Amino acid sequence: MTLEAAASLIKDGDKVAVGGGLCLREPIAMLRELTRQGRKNLHLCGTAHGFDVDYACGAGIVGAVEETHVSFEQDFGLALNYRRACESGQVRIHENCCNTIIQQFRAAAYGIPFMPIMSAKGSEEVLLHPEFKHIICPFTGNDLILVPALTPDVAIVHAQKADIHGNLRIEQPYVADILMIRAAKNVIVTAEEIIPEAEMIKLGPNVPYYEVAHVVHVPWGAHPTSCYPYYAYDREHISNYYKITQEGADAFKTKYLDKYVYGVKSQAEYIELVGGSERQKRLASWKNGREAWMELYNYE
Amino acid sequence: MTLEAAASLIKDGDKVAVGGGLCLREPIAMLRELTRQGRKNLHLCGTAHGFDVDYACGAGIVGAVEETHVSFEQDFGLALNYRRACESGQVRIHENCCNTIIQQFRAAAYGIPFMPIMSAKGSEEVLLHPEFKHIICPFTGNDLILVPALTPDVAIVHAQKADIHGNLRIEQPYVADILMIRAAKNVIVTAEEIIPEAEMIKLGPNVPYYEVAHVVHVPWGAHPTSCYPYYAYDREHISNYYKITQEGADAFKTKYLDKYVYGVKSQAEYIELVGGSERQKRLASWKNGREAWMELYNYE
Amino acid sequence: MSEKFKVTLDELFTYNVAKTIEDSTLVFHGVSSPIPMVAMYFAKLTHAKDMVYVGGVTSAIDPNPPFFPTTTNDWTMMQGRTAMITIDKLFDMAQKGELHRSFFSGAQVDKYGNQNVTMIGRPGKVKIKLPGGAGGCNLSGDCINYTIWTTRHRAPTKGDKKLYTLVDKCDFVTNVGHVTPYGTREQLRLVGKGPDWLVTELGVFDFDPETKILRLRYLYPDTTVEDVLNNTQFKPVIHPEVRVMDLPTREDIELMRKIDPLNVRKNEFPPKELERPFFV
Amino acid sequence: MSEKFKVTLDELFTYNVAKTIEDSTLVFHGVSSPIPMVAMYFAKLTHAKDMVYVGGVTSAIDPNPPFFPTTTNDWTMMQGRTAMITIDKLFDMAQKGELHRSFFSGAQVDKYGNQNVTMIGRPGKVKIKLPGGAGGCNLSGDCINYTIWTTRHRAPTKGDKKLYTLVDKCDFVTNVGHVTPYGTREQLRLVGKGPDWLVTELGVFDFDPETKILRLRYLYPDTTVEDVLNNTQFKPVIHPEVRVMDLPTREDIELMRKIDPLNVRKNEFPPKELERPFFV
């Protein structure tokens, strides 16, 4: 299946669980394709994220965000596209907390209507979730919050390895990906590598084929976030991206979207645009030892 | 730590989660040691079991059974020591169902008072569990059974490999062991092999050291159940055992307990008694291919 | 091939169980299940090649067992697998409505398909402690459909009474059929739709859509409606087109013998039943 | 060594955070946490060798990171580990009461230790959308104790008013301190006992056992009680024995610089603060 065809299965308004987290293994090629296809009003959900959600907010494809954190951490700071989208009201804020949303994914994965949690009491995050219920625990008498199953319409995940049947080998950290896959109605995977079934079986898939609806081969599908062992995160690209977001929404459109998204027709073109084989070699150089690895975080 | 010292940490009346299941990786050496120490009234819990529970009922160390199934499957049939203990009232019957008890272990492992389940409604197994509660689900209006956290006082597990810090490498099938370990207050592991920490780290432990209180090196600690890849299950020993149980409780004491439990002072002596290195070689012969493996199930 | 080929009851029986499995479904068997073990692998190799085959208690996905062992929790059942899952995940899948079929048996099966694997007698007055249902109590509620099998339909006479397996009412309901002591499946809002087939050594049943009572569909070449009625405590519905079952081919049987060289499928039968002669 | 050894604020600060970690405890840091990252590994290598070190968002157990990266979800944080767990399991451990310490910050921290990482403004009237608490809302309830840190205690003046980080009342409570808008921790029956330390660039606080209000315990060599009061919107309790903090040794600082060659710990500070001269 092509990336175009896979992306076309995601509909305006869908609740989309986004794999990876922060700087790691985010399905960015899929988000770019959704942008080119003009998708609108996606409801993103997941744990602690960064580039993906900020990008998608800047690209205008998002209507609601139910993540637990969106930033470039202390490396660059606040996620500016995300901020603008939240502050303008373009994006509805359903901020969640990591364990809460994990329990909501668990409930969906387990086929039960809710999970009870011990925390979140006292926090105002519950104000952003009128769907939560309280009960008095019939066993302990404690006040408990019941958080409902969160069933994404689709989970989009970038995996290191897949075979053509959909067996996946995702490397640690899994973040919430394996859980999201079990929770979602539909699972679309971009994979860095497609390997023969026999090799997959030898490695031992951690997601079995019948849980995955579609697999697309997309090398560098997580760039500019990392997809170890293939590539570290592209701090130079992200630094440039961040500077553009500092210039405002219009600059983001003309300097980033027009160039890196609308300006390319394929993943191969994108790879060339962001530096081609030279860049690929550089981001794989973390394997050459501590100094080389540090250098990738130290380019400025 | 010695097996004697480890077993002495388990108290009369303790709720004990027993690892492995049916014919596989059951902590039998630990149960023999508990017998020698005269432990009484243990409350065993777990999923589908066989030799272990039947043995422990015959040895008189059990007061209640909260397993989901106890038998020798179609190989030999009903577990006769277990039957006698249940039918005489010596053992209280808290029979459970696999998903129910898994959810109860999950609740304990997750630190929550209960889990909701969708099933068990309509079954009379709930009559054996007055501790279960019903609620009307505030999300769906469905009648749900809430099953409380089941927190074993101790989990006893036989692992393939451990290091001295308590990192474990348990091979598939895990049965409920990894979950029980997370649910229990205290975890005592007998290990087929103690390996150096560096080797364990290379393999990747699936239970980290801080979850395990005590590790004891007990080769053939699961015999006569299997502990692959070291040994298949000892069908000949179990066949002999089964014939003795058919003769009644007294025969079981004189012909089995006096010989294999009270009559040996150490695991080394036990191994000699059940056939020594010849037997060890035979039960390892499953590795020699299909014919050799079949032979182990076909000795009669 | 015009020569007659002799087959045994266990083979016809296992074939009947295999035929309850549809292609492209996700299927699991539990403990103490030699016949479902063989039937599932047989189905996967014949008419249900796209079945997701959860190889029993080890929860291996699509194994190719070198032979079937006398227990369900053995490394043989993990050989040649595609992937491993864990049992907790298997139960999640069932609870989520993703497990299409499983297989349950019972010392008693009642007219609505409830099964007793817990005790003859009642709590506090246990006459015979049975092994227990393992996952059956949950899975009989959760999996979309399931096949019941028993090799002990034929009711022996003890003194002046017959000891039925197919009883009007179970002493104790472990696994739930269509109408339970606490209501119908619909009233209970269970996830699954309940048992749809019962295979015995005397016949093959489905359920009457109206009454939800077991309905005789197929006979063996050597059994009659009367045999069935004589060995059943309740009065089953008789399908208007009840007939002898479709028989396997010689190739089917040769395949079955090849995949089950230890003949574990025969372990479930009283020896006398295995003497019944059949030819295909 | 009698010569004076120059150290910087980030080093004293990180040392203070490290000292809140007791030996033989299980400790985790979340996202956006350069200082806790360095402090935890420093503690593990010095006074807390038997600490179970959950290496941040990757959930590696006892890693030996070759250096600290500028993000918490990087393979550097998995190097040299003993084992891996998954984040859902980490949260289970917390909910079960097994996580002894974590570290949280906030754009606002109020007198009871509540923190705001969600928004300046209120739902529907968001002035500044902050990044969100990640696991903080849950973990601040569940983990036994936690350390709050902020490098922005010093309140800048904007027009005629001061912009406080240590506020009387948070605009929005994300992570829970001792007294929340919905009651005390005891009333809410939370699993954990709440924050026990706050480290800022002006001082180190614990909580007054009676009032549960932040209590100044230690000053930096260059700060005074007045500095603290001038930069705090509420009136903190002043410990009767408030004094200058214990300083690290030269060896401590050399170790810290060695394990953090990219100086990620400095990223959290306004550049001017890093010019404050300290000597040990």
Side-chain angles (χ1 to χ4, degrees):
Chain A
M1 178 169 265
T2 64
L3 185 58
E4 291 78 0
S8 75
L9 301 171
I10 301 170
K11 306 289 170 229
D12 285 356
D14 269 1
K15 194 171 280 191
V16 181
V18 183
L22 297 166
C23 61
L24 178 126
R25 219 169 28 69
E26 290 172 343
I28 308 299
M30 176 59 78
L31 294 173
R32 280 194 303 267
E33 180 55 28
L34 289 166
T35 309
R36 280 188 290 265
Q37 295 189 10
R39 206 68 70 254
K40 291 285 170 215
N41 199 27
L42 298 177
H43 180 132
L44 304 186
C45 51
T47 53
H49 281 251
F51 184 87
D52 51 353
V53 176
D54 191 67
Y55 164 79
C57 288
I61 64 177
V62 183
V65 175
E66 193 164 358
E67 310 278 343
T68 69
H69 177 96
V70 182
S71 85
F72 293 86
E73 301 191 82
Q74 252 78 9
D75 202 5
F76 301 104
L78 298 182
L80 300 179
N81 284 330
Y82 174 64
R83 268 195 65 180
R84 279 191 282 268
C86 289
E87 293 166 16
S88 71
Q90 178 198 325
V91 154
R92 297 181 301 285
I93 301 169
H94 294 296
E95 183 177 306
N96 211 335
C97 188
C98 288
N99 190 40
T100 302
I101 200 160
I102 283 169
Q103 301 309 323
Q104 294 187 262
F105 284 139
R106 273 185 172 165
Y110 296 175
I112 50 180
F114 63 81
M115 285 285 288
I117 59 172
M118 304 299 285
S119 59
K121 295 182 288 187
S123 169
E124 295 188 307
E125 273 196 3
V126 298
L127 300 179
L128 307 174
H129 293 277
E131 73 276 23
F132 295 173
K133 308 271 183 194
H134 286 258
I135 60 159
I136 301 301
C137 174
F139 297 98
T140 63
N142 199 343
D143 178 36
L144 289 178
I145 297 179
L146 304 185
V147 298
L150 199 168
T151 305
D153 294 300
V154 59
I156 55 175
V157 166
H158 187 70
Q160 275 89 355
K161 290 181 166 72
D163 69 18
I164 54 165
H165 306 291
N167 290 302
L168 305 184
R169 178 76 186 191
I170 300 176
E171 300 301 325
Q172 287 267 26
Y174 308 137
V175 199
D177 293 18
I178 288 176
L179 193 53
M180 282 173 176
I181 286 171
R182 291 162 67 180
K185 287 182 207 162
N186 199 12
V187 175
I188 301 177
V189 172
T190 53
E192 200 60 33
E193 261 194 282
I194 304 288
I195 62 173
E197 186 186 6
E199 193 182 320
M200 175 59 77
I201 289 172
K202 212 168 159 190
L203 285 171
N206 43 24
V207 175
Y209 65 93
Y210 57 81
E211 294 188 354
V212 175
H214 305 284
V215 169
V216 191
H217 183 211
V218 186
W220 261 35
H223 182 270
T225 69
S226 69
C227 184
Y228 287 103
Y230 308 95
Y231 43 94
Y233 105 121
D234 191 340
R235 192 171 182 277
E236 190 170 351
H237 183 99
I238 293 176
S239 173
N240 176 47
Y241 167 98
Y242 196 77
K243 282 180 196 130
I244 295 171
T245 68
Q246 286 175 312
E247 295 175 39
D250 291 341
F252 185 70
K253 177 163 187 326
T254 54
K255 293 189 180 173
Y256 197 85
L257 294 180
D258 286 349
K259 179 170 178 190
Y260 293 103
V261 183
Y262 299 114
V264 295
K265 288 197 184 54
S266 68
Q267 183 69 1
E269 257 186 51
Y270 173 83
I271 294 172
E272 275 315 305
L273 183 66
V274 297
S277 58
E278 265 310 298
R279 189 102 213 119
Q280 289 187 303
K281 201 174 149 201
R282 177 164 160 78
L283 293 185
S285 70
W286 70 274
K287 292 177 202 165
N288 302 341
R290 180 171 179 266
E291 296 308 314
W293 203 353
M294 276 172 63
E295 184 58 26
L296 295 176
Y297 289 94
N298 212 11
Y299 83 99
E300 286 178 312
Chain B
M1 181 171 265
T2 64
L3 185 58
E4 292 77 0
S8 74
L9 301 171
I10 301 170
K11 304 292 170 225
D12 286 355
D14 269 0
K15 193 170 283 191
V16 181
V18 183
L22 296 167
C23 61
L24 178 129
R25 219 169 29 67
E26 291 171 344
I28 308 297
M30 176 59 80
L31 294 173
R32 281 194 302 269
E33 180 56 28
L34 289 167
T35 310
R36 281 188 289 266
Q37 295 190 10
R39 205 68 69 253
K40 291 287 169 212
N41 200 26
L42 299 177
H43 180 132
L44 304 186
C45 52
T47 53
H49 281 250
F51 184 88
D52 51 351
V53 176
D54 190 68
Y55 164 81
C57 287
I61 63 177
V62 184
V65 174
E66 194 165 0
E67 310 279 342
T68 69
H69 176 97
V70 182
S71 86
F72 293 86
E73 301 190 82
Q74 253 76 6
D75 204 5
F76 302 104
L78 298 180
L80 301 178
N81 283 328
Y82 174 63
R83 268 195 66 179
R84 279 191 282 270
C86 288
E87 293 166 16
S88 72
Q90 179 198 325
V91 155
R92 296 182 301 286
I93 303 169
H94 294 297
E95 183 178 307
N96 212 334
C97 190
C98 288
N99 190 41
T100 304
I101 201 161
I102 282 169
Q103 301 309 325
Q104 294 188 263
F105 285 139
R106 272 185 172 164
Y110 296 176
I112 51 180
F114 62 81
M115 285 286 286
I117 59 172
M118 305 300 284
S119 59
K121 294 183 288 188
S123 169
E124 295 189 307
E125 273 196 3
V126 298
L127 300 179
L128 308 173
H129 293 278
E131 73 275 22
F132 295 174
K133 308 269 186 197
H134 286 259
I135 60 158
I136 301 300
C137 173
F139 298 97
T140 64
N142 199 345
D143 178 37
L144 289 177
I145 298 179
L146 303 185
V147 298
L150 200 168
T151 305
D153 294 302
V154 59
I156 56 175
V157 166
H158 188 69
Q160 274 88 354
K161 292 181 165 73
D163 69 17
I164 55 165
H165 305 292
N167 291 301
L168 305 184
R169 177 76 186 190
I170 300 176
E171 300 302 325
Q172 287 268 28
Y174 308 138
V175 199
D177 293 19
I178 288 176
L179 194 53
M180 283 173 176
I181 286 170
R182 291 161 68 180
K185 286 182 207 162
N186 198 11
V187 175
I188 301 178
V189 172
T190 54
E192 200 61 35
E193 262 194 281
I194 303 288
I195 62 174
E197 187 185 7
E199 194 182 320
M200 174 60 76
I201 289 172
K202 213 167 158 191
L203 286 171
N206 44 22
V207 176
Y209 65 92
Y210 56 81
E211 295 187 354
V212 175
H214 305 286
V215 170
V216 191
H217 183 210
V218 186
W220 261 35
H223 181 271
T225 69
S226 69
C227 184
Y228 288 102
Y230 307 97
Y231 44 94
Y233 104 122
D234 191 340
R235 192 169 181 277
E236 189 170 352
H237 183 99
I238 293 175
S239 173
N240 176 47
Y241 167 97
Y242 196 77
K243 285 180 195 129
I244 295 170
T245 66
Q246 287 176 311
E247 296 176 38
D250 291 343
F252 185 71
K253 179 167 184 323
T254 54
K255 293 188 180 172
Y256 196 86
L257 294 179
D258 285 351
K259 181 171 176 188
Y260 293 103
V261 183
Y262 298 116
V264 295
K265 290 201 180 52
S266 67
Q267 182 69 1
E269 257 185 53
Y270 173 82
I271 293 172
E272 274 315 305
L273 183 65
V274 296
S277 57
E278 266 309 300
R279 190 105 212 117
Q280 290 186 301
K281 202 174 145 200
R282 177 165 160 77
L283 293 184
S285 69
W286 71 274
K287 291 179 206 166
N288 301 342
R290 181 171 178 266
E291 297 306 315
W293 202 353
M294 276 172 63
E295 184 58 26
L296 295 176
Y297 289 95
N298 210 11
Y299 82 97
E300 284 178 310
Chain C
M1 251 175 292
S2 60
E3 276 180 78
K4 285 205 266 183
F5 184 72
K6 193 175 177 206
V7 302
T8 48
L9 175 67
D10 55 291
E11 291 160 344
L12 292 191
F13 191 108
T14 304
Y15 181 72
N16 283 322
V17 172
K19 289 216 297 175
T20 68
I21 300 170
E22 301 88 355
D23 199 6
S24 301
T25 55
L26 197 151
V27 187
F28 167 81
H29 74 77
V31 305
S32 264
S33 300
I35 288 168
M37 272 173 129
V38 179
M40 275 172 66
Y41 192 41
F42 176 83
K44 175 86 180 166
L45 294 174
T46 56
H47 67 276
K49 291 194 163 57
D50 288 328
M51 170 180 104
V52 180
Y53 169 28
V54 185
V57 182
T58 64
S59 298
I61 304 300
D62 298 340
N64 286 292
F67 61 92
F68 291 99
T70 42
T71 155
T72 53
N73 207 353
D74 193 273
W75 269 25
T76 41
M77 295 307 299
M78 285 165 35
Q79 303 303 300
R81 68 183 180 271
T82 295
M84 289 299 300
I85 61 170
T86 52
I87 52 165
D88 50 318
K89 188 165 165 185
L90 184 275
F91 285 102
D92 294 339
M93 286 156 54
Q95 196 163 244
K96 225 177 137 182
E98 294 175 345
L99 177 54
H100 297 100
R101 183 167 303 277
S102 193
F103 307 86
F104 303 110
S105 189
Q108 297 177 322
V109 178
D110 76 17
K111 60 177 177 286
Y112 296 119
N114 298 299
Q115 307 122 59
N116 177 10
V117 254
T118 300
M119 60 178 68
I120 303 299
R122 289 293 289 170
K125 283 171 286 187
V126 185
K127 283 186 222 141
I128 302 174
K129 180 68 189 83
L130 301 167
C137 151
N138 300 128
L139 291 177
S140 63
D142 287 341
C143 61
I144 301 298
N145 280 122
Y146 66 89
T147 303
I148 311 174
W149 89 102
T150 175
T151 58
R152 308 273 172 164
H153 187 169
R154 204 183 294 277
T157 304
K158 194 182 175 186
D160 58 349
K161 63 177 182 178
K162 280 190 133 176
L163 299 176
Y164 292 100
T165 296
L166 265 63
V167 295
D168 192 57
K169 188 173 174 302
C170 291
D171 278 31
F172 185 96
V173 171
T174 315
N175 302 341
V176 295
H178 287 285
V179 181
T180 79
Y182 303 91
T184 64
R185 296 183 80 88
E186 291 68 28
Q187 287 164 342
L188 296 167
R189 293 176 66 176
L190 290 168
V191 172
K193 290 184 285 189
D196 54 354
W197 292 104
L198 164 67
V199 178
T200 84
E201 80 280 23
L202 301 180
V204 178
F205 301 72
D206 62 4
F207 288 84
D208 179 65
E210 294 299 309
T211 61
K212 304 288 187 190
I213 290 174
L214 279 162
R215 175 172 73 174
L216 183 64
R217 282 296 294 271
Y218 304 115
L219 293 161
Y220 285 82
D222 67 345
T223 58
T224 63
V225 171
E226 201 151 54
D227 290 336
V228 168
L229 294 176
N230 284 341
N231 289 284
T232 306
Q233 192 180 30
F234 60 88
K235 195 177 158 2
V237 178
I238 310 294
H239 194 280
E241 289 162 35
V242 65
R243 62 170 174 84
V244 170
M245 60 192 58
D246 297 326
L247 296 177
T249 64
R250 181 172 170 158
E251 289 69 32
D252 287 332
I253 299 302
E254 283 170 345
L255 175 63
M256 198 182 289
R257 289 175 189 172
K258 189 177 156 218
I259 64 176
D260 182 25
L262 290 181
N263 297 320
V264 299
R265 66 193 183 279
K266 294 191 195 289
N267 285 0
E268 298 206 36
F269 295 88
K272 214 169 147 43
E273 298 288 348
L274 296 176
E275 292 166 15
R276 288 163 56 183
F278 299 101
F279 297 92
V280 300
Chain D
M1 254 175 289
S2 60
E3 276 179 81
K4 282 206 267 182
F5 183 73
K6 192 173 178 207
V7 301
T8 48
L9 176 65
D10 55 292
E11 292 161 344
L12 292 190
F13 191 108
T14 303
Y15 181 74
N16 283 323
V17 172
K19 288 216 299 176
T20 68
I21 299 170
E22 302 87 355
D23 200 4
S24 301
T25 55
L26 197 151
V27 187
F28 167 82
H29 74 77
V31 304
S32 264
S33 300
I35 288 168
M37 271 173 130
V38 180
M40 274 171 66
Y41 192 41
F42 176 83
K44 176 84 180 168
L45 295 174
T46 57
H47 67 276
K49 291 194 163 57
D50 288 327
M51 169 179 103
V52 181
Y53 168 29
V54 186
V57 181
T58 65
S59 298
I61 303 299
D62 297 340
N64 286 291
F67 62 92
F68 291 98
T70 42
T71 154
T72 53
N73 207 354
D74 192 274
W75 270 25
T76 41
M77 294 308 297
M78 285 166 35
Q79 303 303 301
R81 67 184 180 271
T82 295
M84 289 299 299
I85 61 170
T86 52
I87 52 165
D88 50 319
K89 188 164 166 184
L90 185 274
F91 285 103
D92 293 339
M93 285 156 53
Q95 196 162 244
K96 222 177 140 183
E98 293 176 346
L99 177 54
H100 298 100
R101 182 168 302 277
S102 193
F103 306 87
F104 304 109
S105 189
Q108 297 178 321
V109 178
D110 77 16
K111 61 177 176 285
Y112 296 118
N114 300 299
Q115 307 122 59
N116 177 10
V117 254
T118 301
M119 60 179 70
I120 303 299
R122 290 293 289 173
K125 283 172 285 187
V126 186
K127 282 186 224 146
I128 302 174
K129 180 67 190 84
L130 300 167
C137 151
N138 299 129
L139 291 176
S140 63
D142 287 340
C143 62
I144 302 297
N145 281 120
Y146 66 90
T147 303
I148 311 173
W149 90 102
T150 176
T151 59
R152 308 275 171 162
H153 187 169
R154 204 183 295 276
T157 303
K158 193 180 177 189
D160 59 348
K161 64 177 183 177
K162 279 193 137 177
L163 299 175
Y164 292 101
T165 296
L166 265 63
V167 295
D168 192 54
K169 189 174 172 303
C170 291
D171 277 31
F172 185 97
V173 171
T174 316
N175 303 340
V176 295
H178 287 285
V179 181
T180 79
Y182 303 91
T184 65
R185 296 183 78 89
E186 291 68 28
Q187 287 164 341
L188 296 168
R189 293 176 64 177
L190 291 168
V191 172
K193 291 184 285 190
D196 54 352
W197 292 104
L198 163 67
V199 178
T200 84
E201 82 278 24
L202 300 180
V204 177
F205 301 73
D206 61 6
F207 287 84
D208 180 65
E210 294 299 310
T211 62
K212 303 288 185 188
I213 290 174
L214 279 161
R215 174 172 74 176
L216 183 64
R217 283 295 293 270
Y218 305 114
L219 294 162
Y220 285 81
D222 66 346
T223 57
T224 63
V225 171
E226 202 151 52
D227 290 334
V228 168
L229 295 176
N230 284 342
N231 289 284
T232 305
Q233 192 180 27
F234 59 89
K235 195 178 158 0
V237 178
I238 309 295
H239 194 281
E241 289 163 35
V242 64
R243 61 170 175 82
V244 169
M245 59 192 57
D246 295 326
L247 295 178
T249 65
R250 178 172 171 159
E251 288 70 30
D252 287 331
I253 299 302
E254 284 170 344
L255 175 64
M256 196 181 291
R257 290 174 186 174
K258 188 174 155 221
I259 63 175
D260 181 24
L262 291 181
N263 296 320
V264 299
R265 67 194 183 278
K266 293 190 194 292
N267 286 359
E268 300 206 33
F269 294 89
K272 213 169 148 46
E273 296 289 347
L274 295 176
E275 292 167 14
R276 288 161 55 183
F278 300 101
F279 297 92
V280 302

